[in-house]
Amino acid sequence: MSTLSYGSWPSPVDAALAAAHDGRPDDVAFVGDEVWWTAPRPTEGGRRTLVRRHADGTEEPVLPAPWNVRSRVIEYGGRPWGAVQTDSGPLVVFVNFADQRLYAFTPGGGEPRPLTPLSTVGGGLRWIEPDPYPERGEVWCVLEEFTGEGPTDLRRVPVAVPLDGSAAGDRGAVRELAPERHRFVTGPRLSPDGHRAAWLAWDHPRMPWDGTELIVAEVGPEGTFQDARTLAGGPEESVAQADWAPDGTLLHVSDRTGWWNLYRDGQPLCAREEEFGGPLWKLGQRWFAPLDSGLIAVLHGRGAAVLGILDPETGEVVDAAGPWTEFAPALAAHGERVVAVGASAHSGFEVVELDARTGRARVIGAPHEDATDPAYYPQPQIRTFQGPDGREIHAHLYPPHNPGCRAPDGELPPYVIWAHGGPTSRAPLVLDLEIAYFTSRGIGVAEVNYGGSSGHGREYRNRLREQWGVVDVEDCAAVAVALAEEGTADPERLAVRGGSAGGWTSAASLAGTDVYACGTILYPILDLTGWGTGETHDFESQYLESLIGPYAEVPDRYTERSPAQHAESVTAPFLLLQGLDDVICPPVQCERFLERMAGRGVPHAYLTFEGEGHGFRRAETMVRALEAELSLYAQTLGLTPPGVPTLELSR
């Protein structure tokens, strides 16, 4: 074992390796007896393809490049495809990212054919959660339709699109299933007898984790929704998912008690102080799936979500045996078979099948394969720290780890505090080769699930109400200081890093504290006065009403909290990374911040990437970003990582 300073350890986990394994399988579903899902292709321009698993266990990508199965509805998208088995094979309907049209195709039956038209108005026509009903000659889905050129000039409504292609050039051929009543809607779920439909809806200024409504309507003889009524939810009750059981009862997840729990026809099935749901960032996320036997597959837990089978008659949950400690909200069921997307601290996300009859769980798709010697993987610790006023702060600690290196006696390691995006989200405890990229070189990482994060109940989530830029900054700083005080981290070599809302927290931390020696800010929010008044997309355009406060009542607070308004307080070096096609956190936010930094002599770099939106998907972008980040730490924390291109810092 070599004795080398922290940050100089040689590692086989290079940036290209980390980039090649970025992303995860998602949107799993059964097509007949087969399991299908979407999969990332970082080295193919960052597209997502559709993969099917045949009966013999072989995997086959269904759509070649450049087809990209991804929707832009609410910009974060959601379930972009649906399929049914027919006499002539699978009938697949999917959204193509480039033009946002719906396409239908049968594998082996020719090229996909468009079902929906293009529009030159604003962001055009967009579709999500397609469910084909060949017997009706339609696919049901949600339409997001721009009515003007502004980012909030749009409407959303459940619709039926003809499967014969007659709407490919005619918007008028798209049949609206219900009148426009709410700003946001999820895809309608049809009851087993075909007589009722259920969906979720909410309106500005609420976000779906603040309050949604569960709506049920009768399906009339013409296939339109009638007598719509609200069964659950409200301004302070979030219904995260609803679905029909095979016996016709309606299941839904609500946080009316302060925790997302499961209900059947309004009655609790398993009242626990843990989460059976989560924040609805993407339309079509699924935390539960009913089985034919009456049992229910569920994701549940505090913090991490694990897979289990709930008996609704007894309230007992039996968890699936296996190495997976975290599951994504992407469940599907067929008979007594359940498919999910699971991972652990030592393995990436893979497609897992659980047989509810035998309890056997196994990997059936996208299996984790060690990209390098797993001895170089991080070794996480689950920690709880104490913040201001004695409040708990949940975090994952990843100490420096390399099987071939140790640091000189007495040397303390540098640490990077990672702030997750959202901010109503959380950092999952899973194998992340981006984290391994740093820890295997002798740089510690601490992921902070600051107050406001999901997974710990509504009270914990609500800590960030009107406190964004305060609680998140305080909690990250409290973890950093605690690590230094306990002798885990070098107090002179602390950094902060985050993307999107985490980029806001990183920038606000540099502007409002003296804890960090440098910071990395990825596709951030920096100026609330612009972001909250037309510089972002519709879904989050009024998010600040809860995170900061009503703009009409506290306009000065929007200025006071914005890092861009406090550029003179930023003295630590920083790296700013931005996609030029980002409509959620547009480049103008970064440009305005940099204008106010001009001439102040603070070392910094600003890297932009054409063709990238909110969150990087292309391998070459991720490689450049990771190497630049490491170079920043090398230059500002006194590290000597081998073989890393030097990032040029401006002043």
Side-chain angles (χ1 to χ4, degrees), residues 212-246:
T212 57
E213 295 180 24
L214 167 57
I215 299 175
V216 174
E218 305 299 319
V219 179
E222 301 300 320
T224 55
F225 301 162
Q226 303 172 356
D227 302 323
R229 58 201 182 278
T230 298
L231 292 189
E236 292 292 328
E237 179 185 349
S238 169
V239 179
Q241 182 192 338
D243 212 338
W244 301 94

Side-chain angles (χ1 to χ4, degrees), residues 3 165 266 445 601:
T3 300
V445 170

Side-chain angles (χ1 to χ4, degrees), residues 277-647:
L280 191 67
W281 277 103
K282 297 182 177 182
L283 302 188
Q285 289 178 304
R286 291 170 61 84
W287 290 269
F288 71 84
L291 309 181
D292 286 351
S293 62
L295 301 176
I296 307 168
V298 294
L299 301 183
H300 71 105
R302 282 196 177 204
V306 297
L307 174 63
I309 299 295
L310 167 66
D311 184 340
E313 303 307 320
T314 65
E316 181 184 7
V317 179
V318 178
D319 290 339
W324 312 282
T325 55
E326 183 81 58
F327 283 85
L331 286 185
H334 176 58
E336 299 305 302
R337 297 167 61 195
V338 179
V339 287
V341 179
S344 76
H346 309 290
S347 60
F349 283 102
E350 47 197 1
V351 180
V352 177
E353 181 178 82
L354 170 65
D355 187 329
R357 294 165 299 186
T358 65
R360 182 188 176 213
R362 62 191 178 112
V363 176
I364 63 164
H368 169 79
E369 296 180 0
D370 290 319
T372 188
D373 186 343
Y376 289 90
Y377 290 166
Q379 297 184 336
Q381 304 168 11
I382 300 175
R383 296 283 303 272
T384 301
F385 295 88
Q386 191 172 83
D389 304 321
R391 64 179 183 249
E392 287 188 344
I393 307 168
H394 302 286
H396 305 146
L397 199 64
Y398 298 87
H401 174 71
N402 185 309
C405 296
R406 63 181 298 273
D409 291 342
E411 182 181 353
L412 292 175
Y415 258 82
V416 185
I417 305 299
W418 282 29
H420 64 71
T424 310
S425 184
R426 64 181 175 87
L429 187 66
V430 300
L431 176 63
D432 185 338
L433 291 186
E434 283 197 6
I435 292 177
Y437 179 74
F438 295 105
T439 57
S440 63
R441 286 169 170 76
I443 302 170
V445 170
E447 290 184 313
V448 181
N449 283 314
Y450 46 80
S453 300
S454 58
H456 301 280
R458 191 176 185 109
E459 182 179 351
Y460 194 86
R461 218 163 64 235
N462 283 352
R463 285 185 190 175
L464 214 56
R465 281 197 172 180
E466 300 195 5
Q467 295 297 310
W468 194 37
V470 178
V471 166
D472 50 325
V473 171
E474 289 178 346
D475 285 3
C476 287
V479 171
V481 170
L483 293 176
E485 289 180 345
E486 71 184 27
T488 298
D490 185 341
E492 303 301 319
R493 296 195 292 178
L494 295 169
V496 63
R497 180 246 217 203
S500 188
W504 154 274
T505 302
S506 298
S509 296
L510 294 180
T513 76
D514 58 1
V515 172
Y516 308 102
C518 62
T520 301
I521 306 167
L522 300 96
Y523 34 88
I525 303 157
L526 296 171
D527 184 2
L528 300 184
T529 58
W531 197 80
T533 54
E535 282 185 1
T536 191
H537 62 137
D538 185 58
F539 177 57
E540 292 180 280
S541 63
Q542 296 186 37
Y543 195 3
L544 301 182
E545 294 283 301
S546 60
L547 290 176
I548 303 297
Y551 184 77
E553 299 174 16
V554 290
D556 291 346
R557 192 183 296 169
Y558 283 62
T559 301
E560 292 165 3
R561 297 269 182 90
S562 295
Q565 303 294 328
H566 300 284
E568 74 284 351
S569 300
V570 177
T571 58
F574 63 88
L575 168 63
L576 198 51
L577 300 162
Q578 178 68 46
L580 292 178
D581 292 348
D582 193 341
V583 297
I584 296 173
C585 297
V588 67
Q589 292 264 313
C590 293
E591 294 161 6
R592 194 176 298 136
F593 179 72
L594 291 172
E595 286 174 3
R596 290 167 180 160
M597 290 295 303
R600 297 196 50 251
V602 177
H604 67 277
Y606 179 44
L607 303 183
T608 60
F609 302 96
E610 292 185 3
E612 290 283 14
H614 195 66
F616 302 148
R617 289 177 169 82
R618 298 179 177 180
E620 60 270 24
T621 301
M622 291 182 275
V623 168
R624 178 72 174 115
L626 270 179
E627 291 180 342
E629 183 177 355
L630 181 56
S631 180
L632 172 74
Y633 302 151
Q635 295 180 57
T636 56
L637 305 180
L639 315 179
T640 56
V644 177
T646 300
L647 173 70

Side-chain angles (χ1 to χ4, degrees), residues 162-228:
L163 283 168
D164 62 8
S166 58
D170 179 12
R171 164 64 181 87
V174 175
R175 186 168 63 86
E176 298 192 5
L177 295 169
E180 181 187 353
R181 294 177 53 192
H182 295 278
R183 187 70 171 188
F184 301 94
V185 294
T186 63
R189 307 290 295 176
L190 190 62
S191 63
D193 62 9
H195 296 325
R196 291 174 294 166
W199 67 95
L200 306 182
W202 68 98
D203 293 288
H204 284 318
R206 295 193 303 273
M207 299 299 287
W209 43 86
D210 295 323
T212 57
E213 295 180 24
L214 167 57
I215 299 175
V216 174
E218 305 299 319
V219 179
E222 301 300 320
T224 55
F225 301 162
Q226 303 172 356
D227 302 323

